[in-house]
Amino acid sequence: MTKAGIQQADTGCNDSNGKPQDVTELAKAFAQLQQENQELQARYTALFHLNQLSQECDQLINFYPQVHRTIASLMTAENLYIVLYDQTFDTLEFVYYVDEKDERPEGVIDFKEFEGSFTNLVIESKQPLLVTPSLEKQLRDNYKTKSFGSRGTDWLGVPLLHNDEVIGVIAVQSYSESIRYTEPDLHMLTFAAQHVVSAMVRLQDQQRLQNAVNSRTKELMAQIREREKSELLQESLYRISELTNEIELDINEFYANVHNIVGQLINATNFFIAKYDKENEMLNFSYYVDEKSENLADEFKPRKLANGYSELVLRSKQSLLLSYQEMLALYQQGKTAKPQDSTHSWLGVPLIYSGQLLGVMVIQSYSEKVSYNQQDADLLNFVSNHVSAAIKRRELAEFERQSHELLEQQVKLRTLALEEEISQRKQAEKLLKHTAAHDSLTGLPNRTVFIDLLNHAIACKKRKPAFEFAVLFLDLDRFKVVNDSLGHHAGDMLLKIIAAELQSMVRDKDTVARLGGDEFVVLIEDLESKEEAFDIAKRITEFLQQPFTIENQLVFTGTSIGILFSDDRYDNADLMLRDADTAMYHAKDSGKGRYEVFDASMHRKVQNALSLEADIREAIEWQEFQPYFQPILRLDNQGLKGFEALARWQSTKRGFVFPNDFIPLAEETDLIQAIDLQIIEKSCQQIKQWQEAFNDSAIYVSCNLFCKHFFSPSLPDDIAKILQNTGLKPESLRIELTERALLENTDIVLANMQALKLMGVKILLDDFGTGYSSLSYLHRFPIDVLKIDRSFINNVHEHDNHQAIIKTIIDLATNLHMATVGEGIENLADAELLQQMDCNYGQGYYFAKPMSASDCASYLKAKLG
């Protein structure tokens, strides 16, 4: 500035006396300048602190509160929040939130939920926003915003920008008129936000890197643990294999070492190994440790195979993993015994070597802290293969050791006494010959020996025509009942007793042999008269009519005997056995407990049966079997309910064939199953037509099924296909089965019955009262109706004992919510008596005989109008 300028300036600043015009204004200007310098210094310090935070903070959760404190040092910021925006998923997350009135919104929130908020405006505009009360009213009047949370005075928010994209918002809010925000506050918060973004991005990248490192570390640790587990498993398997070679190791120590090795892989505090004795159907516990059992010897003593969980493993030959609830469910289904209340988890695996079932290995837990899973099951199953191999190799090694010791002993014995060795060898050969020629259970000669002896007798007859002999073919009656009710062990005991008695009844020169099962044969040689054979047959028949005591229980059986005398027409033993067998079946068909002599008529009967079987097969193919319908009526008002469909055969070759002439053979040859399905399909077609013709959908048909249908898993599909083809509703079909079906293969029978019930088909139990009539299957099986057998119904008004039986059956059915049908009602007195005893339905000749479809249509027309 020039001197003149300076003078001019001085002149302008001084009054006439040369003093300053306004010292106060200069002081104020200086104070304002000093305040601005202090504010700049504070902002610099705050921003410097933010930069430091970006370097010093290691986690975002620690970073946000310090950002709040730093901003609060620059402006009033009692209420502040930081919200992150994810553009990809269009979501918001309030990562930091301090507010004196409102609670922090939790979790990840859909961005649309905050539509109309100030935060929404900042994100969409990418611009800072200072909302005063007047601006708020203007925005609300223009429908730009709507209320979120408590209403405040001023709201100030700025976007967090990274690479020109909004990644969030930082906002402060005032609820007091004394605290108002200005444009400088807006600029300061905007400037600070950029430093916050830089720190956030760095910390987010660092956190993502740390997460990736942590994830990779977990993977590596898992791989290390898996490698260590694999090494432990490999070491365990090696140790199990090594045990096999320690022949001197006591067997109990061997199993204890196996237990210890398994215990290093899985919690096996409670552990046992049971070996399976297939020949005797026994389970022998070779090793056991159990923390809950008070008397281990009783708990783990050898037992017959029963309904234990170990038996489930043996039968399925698969691993079985069960919780207590699953064990209890199996018990409630009747499949197993009741589990111990203390059992929490149970795991069993089969021990199998080269396809041979050796036994079962089991671990179980009584603590809720130890629950086995499928990984444990897979591991134990894998280990079991090596344990099985070790056990088998040890058995073989032990056998080899024993064999070696025996061989050494034999060498010594041979050295000391050659004669004794020769004697023993002859004894062994004799024993081997006896074993090869005799039945292992009874000790009787077997089929092979008997065939040789019979062929020898035939040859003698050829050389000496005067030589006479006879063959007695025996089959025990009701032997299957003994096996089913008392078990195979009782059946074996009965066979042994009978075999011994049969030998005592014949002469020394005669031969008793067992062919197999419950079949025996007797060769009576050098007969002087046929009466000798009849006498032996009579004594055998009378003996077997007496009861036997098996395991403290009386057992009744009997026998049917076929007698065949020698004849020049026989050239070989097989033909003679065939005809003797035919005579035996003739005796069985004639009433059992008797004997019959073979004659040519029996052979013709067999030939006729073969011819009849061939015709039945053709009749099935030609659809010759037709249903006849017998009405089933309500006994209280004789209203028609439905029909029972009965199979009838109008043969193109034989004419009308009565059911008793073809059904027994059809059942014996299993052809009855095809006949049953044919009758059901035709019956369903006919009932569907009648329902439509008479406008009565309540008419149903009841069809009989042979028991073997229920042994087939395809039964529900077969019935469903018939119903679909005929269009008949399942509710219009009833299926009848006899008690015999409930005594075998109960699991598949129950499954089939339940499937039919689920379909809507009702189940009827036919001929009730004549079989075993066990209450257990009435409770277990889903039966809807009991059909009282006609043997009780016929002239029941004259038989008090039959009335008592029928009343008991009706009361039983009522209590079990089952209906009852009386079969074979032939007079008014029986019908009225059954109705008085609350029997629901009836059928029989008194109401109507079985009718053809055409006759039945007339009956329906008369009955239904």
Side-chain angles (χ1 to χ4, degrees):
M1 184 179 292
T2 63
K3 185 176 182 181
I6 294 174
Q7 291 175 345
Q8 184 179 0
D10 288 342
T11 302
C13 290
N14 296 329
D15 58 15
S16 58
N17 297 320
K19 295 182 179 179
Q21 294 179 348
D22 196 344
V23 178
T24 303
E25 288 184 5
L26 289 175
K28 284 183 180 180
F30 179 77
Q32 184 178 353
L33 181 61
Q34 191 174 20
Q35 183 180 354
E36 289 177 357
N37 286 336
Q38 289 175 350
E39 289 178 356
L40 287 173
Q41 182 64 34
R43 291 188 180 188
Y44 173 79
T45 302
L47 296 177
F48 177 76
H49 184 58
L50 284 176
N51 285 329
Q52 278 188 314
L53 286 180
S54 68
Q55 302 298 322
E56 295 173 357
C57 280
D58 57 348
Q59 290 184 337
L60 286 169
I61 194 171
N62 299 325
F63 173 70
Y64 296 132
Q66 295 192 54
V67 168
H68 186 182
R69 285 194 292 270
T70 302
I71 292 175
S73 69
L74 299 175
M75 58 186 291
T76 302
E78 295 179 1
N79 306 291
L80 179 142
Y81 66 80
I82 299 174
V83 58
L84 298 184
Y85 172 61
D86 189 327
Q87 186 177 3
T88 302
F89 297 102
D90 205 23
T91 58
L92 297 174
E93 182 180 7
F94 289 83
V95 294
Y96 182 79
Y97 196 93
V98 174
D99 194 278
E100 60 188 277
K101 291 191 176 184
D102 293 334
E103 297 291 333
R104 170 184 176 180
E106 295 295 334
V108 178
I109 304 167
D110 194 333
F111 181 63
K112 292 181 181 179
E113 292 184 18
F114 272 74
E115 188 174 358
S117 67
F118 300 148
T119 302
N120 180 290
L121 290 178
V122 172
I123 291 174
E124 290 186 343
S125 67
K126 298 185 181 180
Q127 297 295 323
L129 178 63
L130 171 58
V131 181
T132 61
S134 59
L135 179 58
E136 180 181 5
K137 182 176 183 305
Q138 182 181 349
L139 291 171
R140 187 171 290 110
D141 290 343
N142 293 328
Y143 301 100
K144 294 283 187 181
T145 62
K146 55 185 178 182
S147 296
F148 283 87
S150 301
R151 189 161 185 177
T153 305
D154 284 354
W155 185 92
L156 174 59
V158 298
L160 300 175
L161 296 172
H162 180 64
N163 294 333
D164 202 33
E165 295 293 335
V166 179
I167 64 171
V169 173
I170 182 169
V172 294
Q173 182 163 335
S174 165
Y175 292 103
S176 172
E177 288 292 339
S178 63
I179 301 175
R180 304 299 295 270
Y181 297 123
T182 63
E183 286 296 324
D185 294 326
L186 181 64
H187 295 314
M188 190 285 300
L189 189 60
T190 302
F191 189 66
Q194 300 311 308
H195 292 268
V196 172
V197 168
S198 300
M200 281 175 54
V201 170
R202 187 190 69 78
L203 287 172
Q204 286 175 342
D205 291 342
Q206 180 178 329
Q207 192 161 322
R208 279 194 288 268
L209 178 61
Q210 185 62 42
N211 291 340
V213 171
N214 291 341
S215 176
R216 180 55 181 161
T217 301
K218 287 182 180 178
E219 289 181 13
L220 292 174
M221 290 302 295
Q223 292 176 4
I224 292 171
R225 284 193 294 270
E226 191 64 31
R227 189 178 299 115
E228 290 175 346
K229 188 175 180 181
S230 299
E231 291 174 354
L232 178 60
L233 177 60
Q234 186 174 0
E235 179 187 354
S236 299
L237 298 179
Y238 175 76
R239 288 175 59 196
I240 291 172
S241 178
E242 283 293 298
L243 288 176
T244 310
N245 302 322
E246 300 180 24
I247 303 301
E248 301 301 324
L249 188 66
D250 179 75
I251 189 64
N252 291 326
E253 269 192 78
F254 169 77
Y255 285 121
N257 285 335
V258 170
H259 180 195
N260 179 263
I261 295 169
V262 172
Q264 293 181 12
L265 300 172
I266 308 173
N267 188 310
T269 305
N270 306 290
F271 175 91
F272 69 78
I273 291 176
K275 298 183 72 175
Y276 171 50
D277 183 351
K278 182 179 180 180
E279 182 177 352
N280 298 309
E281 290 293 297
M282 292 286 293
L283 205 58
N284 299 307
F285 294 88
S286 305
Y287 177 83
Y288 45 84
V289 173
D290 193 278
E291 60 185 330
K292 288 290 184 181
S293 296
E294 296 180 359
N295 193 333
L296 288 174
D298 287 341
E299 182 80 18
F300 293 97
K301 64 184 179 182
R303 70 166 188 248
K304 276 280 188 182
L305 291 190
N307 58 345
Y309 300 97
S310 297
E311 283 85 340
L312 288 181
V313 176
L314 292 175
R315 293 189 187 105
S316 65
K317 294 185 179 180
Q318 293 181 349
S319 303
L320 186 62
L321 174 61
L322 298 170
S323 65
Y324 175 79
Q325 288 75 17
E326 290 168 333
M327 297 171 78
L328 191 61
L330 289 173
Y331 162 67
Q332 292 169 345
Q333 294 168 16
K335 295 182 179 179
T336 62
K338 185 176 181 181
Q340 299 180 40
D341 293 338
S342 56
T343 302
H344 174 67
S345 186
W346 192 96
L347 173 59
V349 297
L351 297 174
I352 300 174
Y353 181 78
S354 297
Q356 180 187 358
L357 185 60
L358 304 181
V360 60
M361 181 166 60
V362 173
I363 58 177
Q364 56 185 328
S365 164
Y366 299 116
S367 170
E368 294 184 359
K369 296 180 180 178
V370 179
S371 297
Y372 302 118
N373 53 35
Q374 189 57 47
Q375 186 177 1
D376 297 328
D378 295 339
L379 178 60
L380 192 62
N381 192 57
F382 180 70
V383 172
S384 72
N385 295 326
H386 295 265
V387 173
S388 301
I391 291 174
K392 192 62 179 179
R393 285 199 298 269
R394 184 178 175 87
E395 286 180 352
L396 293 173
E398 180 67 15
F399 178 75
E400 184 179 350
R401 184 185 65 80
Q402 292 176 356
S403 300
H404 183 69
E405 290 178 355
L406 180 61
L407 180 60
E408 288 183 347
Q409 184 180 7
Q410 288 176 342
V411 170
K412 291 178 182 179
L413 291 173
R414 186 179 298 112
T415 303
L416 296 174
L418 184 58
E419 291 182 359
E420 182 65 20
E421 178 194 355
I422 294 172
S423 176
Q424 289 181 358
R425 183 178 298 173
K426 288 182 178 180
Q427 188 75 15
E429 289 175 355
K430 183 178 179 181
L431 179 62
L432 287 173
K433 288 181 180 179
H434 183 274
T435 302
H438 289 76
D439 174 51
S440 60
L441 178 65
T442 63
L444 294 177
N446 58 23
R447 183 187 187 94
T448 302
V449 173
F450 188 82
I451 291 290
D452 289 341
L453 292 175
L454 186 53
N455 278 324
H456 182 265
I458 293 171
C460 288
K461 175 70 175 174
K462 297 290 185 184
R463 293 194 304 270
K464 300 177 182 179
F467 178 77
E468 299 291 342
F469 63 93
V471 175
L472 273 60
F473 198 113
L474 287 71
D475 180 87
L476 300 183
D477 299 329
R478 296 184 296 278
F479 180 74
K480 187 176 185 301
V481 176
V482 177
N483 261 347
D484 290 342
S485 57
L486 299 182
H488 291 285
H489 178 65
D492 290 347
M493 291 179 62
L494 180 60
L495 291 175
K496 289 180 181 179
I497 294 172
I498 292 173
E501 291 295 333
L502 289 177
Q503 283 184 303
S504 68
M505 291 182 189
V506 300
R507 303 167 302 177
D508 292 339
K509 58 184 175 182
D510 300 328
T511 303
V512 179
R514 181 187 178 210
L515 296 184
D518 60 341
E519 292 182 339
F520 296 87
V521 284
V522 181
L523 176 60
I524 305 173
E525 298 189 74
D526 200 15
L527 285 175
E528 294 183 5
S529 71
K530 293 183 178 180
E531 291 301 323
E532 292 181 77
F534 294 147
D535 180 60
I536 292 175
K538 182 178 179 182
R539 283 190 282 124
I540 293 174
T541 303
E542 291 175 349
F543 162 69
L544 289 175
Q545 287 174 345
Q546 305 301 314
F548 295 87
T549 301
I550 306 293
E551 294 184 344
N552 297 321
Q553 186 165 344
L554 285 179
V555 174
F556 291 87
T557 184
T559 185
S560 301
I561 304 177
I563 302 177
L564 178 69
F565 291 101
S566 54
D567 193 289
D568 291 338
R569 71 176 183 274
Y570 291 112
D571 293 324
N572 62 72
D574 291 327
L575 289 177
M576 290 199 75
L577 279 181
R578 182 202 67 185
D579 289 348
D581 184 34
T582 300
M584 181 273 294
Y585 273 106
H586 188 76
K588 192 177 286 289
D589 291 341
S590 300
K592 300 181 180 179
R594 56 186 292 149
Y595 58 84
E596 293 284 346
V597 179
F598 178 82
D599 58 31
S601 65
M602 294 181 185
H603 187 66
R604 286 195 297 274
K605 182 179 178 182
V606 173
Q607 295 300 318
N608 290 338
L610 292 173
S611 175
L612 179 60
E613 180 184 346
D615 289 349
I616 291 174
R617 293 183 185 276
E618 286 185 346
I620 293 172
E621 184 178 353
W622 296 344
Q623 296 279 320
E624 290 184 350
F625 294 98
Q626 299 294 331
Y628 270 46
F629 301 92
Q630 185 173 34
I632 301 173
L633 298 94
R634 290 185 62 92
L635 290 179
D636 55 358
N637 59 13
Q638 294 197 12
L640 178 65
K641 292 299 293 180
F643 298 92
E644 179 179 1
L646 303 167
R648 295 294 184 265
W649 181 17
Q650 183 66 42
S651 172
T652 55
K653 291 183 177 180
R654 298 171 178 262
F656 185 81
V657 184
F658 288 96
N660 289 341
D661 292 336
F662 73 86
I663 286 182
L665 181 61
E667 290 181 347
E668 181 182 338
T669 56
D670 287 341
L671 295 174
I672 192 67
Q673 297 186 62
I675 296 174
D676 284 347
L677 294 178
Q678 196 173 110
I679 293 299
I680 290 178
E681 184 157 12
K682 292 181 178 180
S683 300
C684 290
Q685 288 174 343
Q686 188 61 69
I687 290 295
K688 178 65 175 177
Q689 293 175 11
W690 286 338
Q691 286 180 346
E692 295 174 350
F694 294 98
N695 194 26
D696 190 348
S697 60
I699 303 174
Y700 68 80
V701 66
S702 183
C703 299
N704 295 280
L705 278 185
F706 187 49
C707 63
K708 288 189 178 179
H709 281 288
F710 285 86
F711 304 157
S712 169
S714 67
L715 175 61
D717 292 336
D718 294 338
I719 298 299
K721 185 177 181 181
I722 289 174
L723 291 171
Q724 183 179 5
N725 291 341
T726 60
L728 188 69
K729 293 182 178 179
E731 294 77 12
S732 298
L733 176 63
R734 309 285 191 272
I735 295 298
E736 298 186 18
L737 73 161
T738 60
E739 295 175 64
R740 178 182 170 189
L742 309 182
L743 300 176
E744 303 178 41
N745 304 315
T746 54
D747 290 341
I748 184 64
V749 172
L750 177 59
N752 281 332
M753 291 176 71
Q754 290 172 336
L756 291 175
K757 285 279 291 181
L758 188 62
M759 196 185 301
V761 177
K762 291 187 180 295
I763 308 295
L764 283 70
L765 185 59
D766 198 12
D767 301 335
F768 186 75
T770 59
Y772 295 92
S773 303
S774 170
L775 293 180
S776 63
Y777 62 65
L778 288 183
H779 283 284
R780 183 180 178 192
F781 293 96
I783 299 168
D784 298 291
V785 182
L786 297 183
K787 297 193 73 174
I788 306 171
D789 188 71
R790 66 182 63 250
S791 62
F792 298 112
I793 302 295
N794 188 23
N795 292 325
V796 66
H797 64 281
E798 299 176 354
H799 302 285
D800 293 343
N801 57 337
H802 284 188
Q803 293 177 29
I805 293 173
I806 292 174
K807 183 58 177 172
T808 301
I809 293 174
I810 293 173
D811 291 343
L812 173 64
T814 302
N815 291 332
L816 295 175
H817 306 291
M818 300 177 185
T820 49
V821 178
E823 297 183 284
I825 300 175
E826 298 188 0
N827 54 66
L828 175 61
D830 289 347
E832 290 179 342
L833 184 57
L834 284 171
Q835 196 269 330
Q836 292 170 9
M837 288 191 287
D838 296 325
C839 182
N840 306 111
Y841 308 105
Q843 66 181 96
Y845 283 8
Y846 171 68
F847 301 112
K849 294 182 179 181
M851 297 171 280
S852 65
S854 58
D855 292 340
C856 197
S858 301
Y859 172 85
L860 274 168
K861 188 174 182 181
K863 193 73 175 174
L864 301 179

